[in-house]
Each structure stands twice: as structure tokens, then as C-alpha cells.
Amino acid sequence: MSDDEHPELDFDPLDPTKIWPPDQFPLLPVGRVVLDKNPVNYFAEVEQAAFGTGVLVDGLDFSDDKLLQGRTFSYSDAQRYRVGPNYLQLPINQPKTPVATNQRDGQMTYRVDGVEAGENPHVNYEPSSLGGLKEAPKSGKDHTPFVQGPVIRQKISRTNDYQQAGERYRTFHDEERDDLILNLVSALKQCDAHIQERMVEHFMQCDPEYGTRVREGLKQSAEKIMH
Ligand code: HEM
């Protein structure tokens, strides 16, 4: 999706409960992940793996999605605590191309930025006349969104909470619908009647058949318990 206003959409594109319909916004290839072997040591290669939205390659950037912005801080913070401050130096997390950040020391450090490239390892600031690391030339144009107006905290407009859920329900085959209703009824039958009714109302708004089937399922399971 182009990074500008999209008044033509009936939902907020930064609302993470929505999908961007792929027929309107086809997926773009950004890379390739090859899964060709199993971990040899589960701890080293799985437990210590750290994925996060705060670690990006050049050419990718963050959107203004609030959830994404929260994750971008929180994953790296969690990983510095969970794995260790130098978690990015572990083979499982380390980029294949050396990355220099001028960040140094802390537990389990074994690598000093820029040494491979022959830079002065004693200088961890920039600029410097002593041959330290230099900022690499930018590989692309900076993202410079235009913003005007007050920045406020408020609920998004265009919440459109039911349309996509209804559309998804209608794409389901019969057996998928059966599974969905069974799952929902199994979970909801444990709830108080007023909670069940509220949930049914939500499903009703997505699609009347969807709501009716959950309501019927709950009724039948209640009758079974009575007998
Ligand atoms: C679109 C919404 C989100 C998705 C798809 C998502 C997905 C995930 C996944 C798949 C994991 C890994 C779970 C695992 O290792 O078993 C994870 C972990 C985590 N998530 Fe989220 N998450 C979302 C939102 C958030 C938000 C809003 C926050 C906090 C502001 C958050 C904080 C975390 C943290 C701290 C971890 C553990 C990271 C680590 O120690 O490696 N997530 N999330």
C-alpha cells in the first residue's frame, strides 16, 4: 500500500485487526527464507533465537501501526533480558554480513565493531579523526512523511469491526464452518449466559448465519446438559 492517506478504504489500514485484501494490495516479495535443516542443539538454536521487529535490514522501515511501534521496543528489551545484552552476537541471531553499531561491552561480548574492516577498535564514537567507524552512506532515500495537525490520543475512526470477519466466514467451506462453530460453542458453553449472548451478537453482525449457528449450538449443548 502506498504510504499516504487512503480515504477510499472503509477501514483504517493501520488497524492490526484488519487484513489488506490481497486483490487490492498484492503482497510484495521482500526476501526469501530457506528452511532446509533442523536445529542440532535446541537450546542454542531455538531457545536463544531472538526475532523482533526492531532489527531491520536496509530498505525496510516501520509503519505508523501502534502495535508495531510497541513491539519494536519491547522485543529487543525482552531479548536483552531473556538471552543477554549481546544476544545479537550469537551465531543464531548474528547477521551474515558484519554490522557495526558502535555499541560495545556488556556480558558475553566477544566481538568489537569494525575490527574486521581495520578500523581503530578504541574509538566507539563518530565522527572521529582517529580512524574509528564511519557511518555508511545511506542506501536509499529517507522516509519523510508529511504530518500536520494536533497529535492526540483517540479511538480510530473507520473501525468497521465486522465486515472482514463476515467476509472470511463466507469464504469458508462447510466443514470449516462446522469446525469453527464447534470450537466456539465448546469454549462459550462454559461462560455465563450474558457473555454468550454478547458474543452471539458480535457473530450476528459479522453474518446472521454465523451468529444463528453459534446461538443454536449453545442452545443444544445447554439442552444436553439438562438431560
Ligand atoms: C500484531 C501483533 C503481534 C504479533 C503478531 C506478535 C507475535 C509474537 C510472536 C510470534 C512471538 C514469539 C512467541 C514465541 O517465541 O513463542 C512474540 C513474542 C513477544 N511479543 Fe508479540 N506479537 C504481537 C504484539 C505484541 C505487542 C503489542 C507487544 C508489546 C508491546 C508484544 C511483545 C512481545 C514480547 C516481549 C515477546 C517476547 C520476545 C522474546 O523474548 O523474544 N507483542 N510475539
Side-chain angles (χ1 to χ4, degrees):
M1 188 183 294
S2 61
D3 188 11
D4 44 38
E5 296 301 317
H6 283 271
E8 79 285 6
L9 296 176
D10 56 17
F11 61 91
D12 184 329
L14 295 176
D15 175 351
T17 68
K18 301 295 184 298
I19 56 162
W20 293 359
D23 49 330
Q24 271 168 283
F25 306 102
L27 298 176
L28 303 171
V30 293
R32 199 161 82 108
V33 176
V34 181
L35 303 173
D36 60 356
K37 59 177 184 183
N38 285 322
V40 177
N41 180 304
Y42 192 80
F43 186 79
E45 297 167 76
V46 179
E47 298 278 346
Q48 295 196 115
F51 291 88
T53 56
V55 188
L56 293 183
V57 295
D58 286 350
L60 295 183
D61 212 333
F62 311 103
S63 73
D64 294 334
D65 166 2
K66 285 198 271 188
L67 265 192
L68 176 66
Q69 304 265 342
R71 300 171 72 197
T72 295
F73 288 98
S74 117
Y75 286 49
S76 303
D77 278 353
Q79 289 156 353
R80 278 186 284 269
Y81 178 76
R82 175 171 70 81
V83 185
N86 285 301
Y87 72 103
L88 287 173
Q89 292 188 15
L90 292 177
I92 194 63
N93 297 323
Q94 168 200 72
K96 298 298 166 217
T97 307
V99 174
T101 60
N102 266 336
Q103 184 182 315
R104 63 167 53 191
D105 299 343
Q107 280 169 353
M108 306 259 168
T109 305
Y110 67 87
R111 182 178 166 268
V112 178
D113 274 1
V115 171
E116 295 94 341
E119 273 108 354
N120 181 348
H122 304 289
V123 177
N124 69 336
Y125 50 85
E126 194 266 338
S128 157
S129 56
L130 301 175
L133 282 174
K134 283 197 189 60
E135 191 173 346
K138 289 217 166 78
S139 58
K141 273 195 289 174
D142 272 339
H143 174 53
T144 55
F146 177 75
V147 180
Q148 193 175 36
V151 177
I152 44 175
R153 237 175 232 265
Q154 69 172 30
K155 199 169 158 47
I156 55 171
S157 55
R158 289 187 288 173
T159 49
N160 199 354
D161 287 326
Y162 301 103
Q163 187 178 325
Q164 287 193 354
E167 280 164 7
R168 172 59 56 92
Y169 177 79
R170 289 185 288 278
T171 64
F172 283 173
H173 300 298
D174 284 351
E175 70 276 10
E176 291 172 316
R177 292 188 192 187
D178 293 349
D179 281 348
L180 175 68
I181 306 296
L182 183 69
N183 285 338
L184 288 169
V185 169
S186 308
L188 279 171
K189 68 182 179 200
Q190 301 158 56
C191 300
D192 290 344
H194 70 105
I195 303 284
Q196 293 177 345
E197 208 32 58
R198 264 193 235 177
M199 289 305 294
V200 167
E201 277 314 310
H202 288 308
F203 303 133
M204 249 347 162
Q205 299 209 47
C206 302
D207 188 292
E209 182 200 287
Y210 188 5
T212 310
R213 287 193 60 183
V214 175
R215 177 175 283 149
E216 283 304 309
L218 285 169
K219 217 164 97 191
Q220 280 166 20
S221 87
E223 278 163 11
K224 247 190 241 156
I225 295 169
M226 307 259 276
H227 293 119

